[in-house]
Amino acid sequence: MRKLTDKLAQERILSRGEFAELLTCEDDYLHEAARKARENIYGNKIFLRGLIEFTSYCKNDCFYCGLRRSNSSAARYRLSKEQILNCCDEGYDAGYRTFVLQGGEDAFFTDEILTDIIRAIKCKYPDCALTLSTGERGFESLKLLREAGADRYLLRHETADSAHYAELHPPEMQASARQKCLRDLKELGFQTGCGFMVGSPKQTLENIVSDLLFIKELDPEMVGVGPFIPHSATPFAKEKAGNLKLVLNILAILRLMKPSLLLPATTALATIENQGYELGINAGANVIMQNISPLTAREKYKIYDNKIGASENLKQRIKNIGCEFTVARGDYFNYGEQ
């Protein structure tokens, strides 16, 4: 696999067959190469993001998500503007310089309400980056959010294959609409993040190769990849969680495809494996998101079961693998990859 790893590091692309072969790699050389690629750009710095889960309401009925509208047992809440700003206050004092507002697709948060929150955060903390993760929105809506001061936007494409997308979502949701929204985000100048779940029901290795090729074509600044984890109140309650090794290989491949990516070691990864953050970083990741929502909200925001809470001694754990958190916005920069 060393030959394929070196080819990817040099050319940033492989054939479909070569990608499929590398995805099943058992050689640690792939992870070592990804780690070196990250260090060449970012050194040993890991970016810490403050995650604020501000609403658990969602209009969608995605088959994998605990927040789906059909889940009558889900605990619903919305944070007020004041509560969100309080989270930012505490996060800023703790050293966070990026805030991530994440929630379900909640119609309550109109353009007017959301832009008001964005302006308030950016006015109070102009040295901080603001990332949104609020689902699909129209071009004009996204434009307003960008003009209000939002810097980044996370929207997982979930799967690049339309047939597989239909296995994970109700008929009113289309892969083409999700992908158009991502292209709109790029056009509007957002630092844009896509991504997918590893091990989602009916996913094949060919689906994952298609995801890698879609990411190559979209050319995002951020990619979020983590394992599928079932939720007991969804149609996928009895499905198996995603494979740890495959997730790590995908992280490494993404790092070699695009060395300056902002690439998280996700909470889901740390949920299926106690050392998930460390393993993700050693496979090329360079971002960790930590929940700074009110404790009452954290208990209610359940996309999947058994989600871990705040990690103990995380700073020391990261130091133990030769890395350290940096108090910086952690913006994306193109280091001449094209």
Side-chain angles (χ1 to χ4, degrees), residues 249-267:
N249 283 354
I250 292 169
L251 290 175
I253 288 169
L254 288 168
R255 176 60 65 196
L256 293 175
M257 277 177 55
K258 192 174 173 68
S260 51
L261 266 180
L262 296 169
L263 189 63
T266 64
T267 304

Side-chain angles (χ1 to χ4, degrees), residues 35-46:
R35 199 158 55 244
K36 289 177 182 176
R38 184 199 68 219
E39 289 170 354
N40 286 340
I41 295 173
Y42 294 106
N44 70 342
K45 305 299 184 186
I46 304 300

Side-chain angles (χ1 to χ4, degrees), residues 10-29:
Q10 292 169 8
E11 300 180 12
R12 313 289 189 228
I13 190 66
L14 297 174
S15 69
R16 294 189 72 95
E18 289 170 331
F19 268 133
E21 190 176 352
L22 199 56
L23 282 167
T24 58
C25 173
E26 295 289 338
D27 189 347
D28 288 339
Y29 183 73

Side-chain angles (χ1 to χ4, degrees), residues 16 30 33 84 107 109 113 116 166 187 195 197 206 208 218 293 322:
R16 294 189 72 95
L30 172 62
I84 293 170
F109 287 94
I113 292 174
D116 179 58
E187 182 180 342
M197 298 175 293
E206 279 297 303
I208 296 175
L218 180 67
S293 310

Side-chain angles (χ1 to χ4, degrees), residues 4 49 95 100 102 111 130 140 143 148 167 183 208 214 226 234 238 250 263 272 283 291 295 301 314 318 331:
L4 280 183
R49 316 299 202 199
V100 182
Q102 177 178 288
D111 293 341
L130 180 59
E140 292 303 319
K143 184 179 179 182
E167 297 282 355
R183 293 189 173 93
I208 296 175
F214 171 76
T234 69
K238 296 183 179 180
I250 292 169
L263 189 63
I272 68 164
N291 202 328
L295 290 175
Y301 197 90
L314 188 56
I318 298 307
D331 287 296

